[in-house]
């Protein structure tokens, strides 16, 4: 019997939402990166920015 071939690991881009994946692909093409690298950079930037405080979202008069 022949051995089963191991499946290649799915890329991180497959687990991303559709809009996040398309943005990562665009960013990757523009900057000469792989889509996985671009998605990792985007997610790291999102974590470092963090959520905005509620007070900053309201406009003062």
């Amino acid at each position: 019997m022949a051995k089963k071939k191991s499946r290649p690991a799915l890329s991180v881009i497959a687990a991303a939402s559709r809009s996040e994946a398309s943005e990562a692909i665009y960013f990757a093409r523009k900057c000469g990166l792989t889509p996985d690298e671009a998605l990792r950079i985007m997610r790291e930037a999102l974590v470092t920015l963090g959520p905005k405080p509620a007070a900053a979202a309201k406009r003062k008069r």
Side-chain angles (χ1 to χ4, degrees):
M1 274 181 125
K3 289 185 177 181
K4 290 184 181 179
K5 291 184 180 180
S6 61
R7 271 192 136 148
L10 294 174
S11 70
V12 178
I13 205 84
S17 68
R18 187 177 186 143
S19 62
E20 192 178 33
S22 63
E23 188 175 349
I25 291 169
Y26 169 77
F27 182 65
R29 284 184 190 154
K30 187 173 180 181
C31 299
L33 303 169
T34 65
D36 290 335
E37 290 173 330
L39 185 61
R40 182 181 48 82
I41 290 169
M42 289 171 47
R43 287 182 174 167
E44 286 176 1
L46 186 64
V47 169
T48 58
L49 291 177
K52 292 182 181 178
K58 294 183 180 178
R59 188 173 180 179
K60 294 183 180 180
R61 290 185 173 188

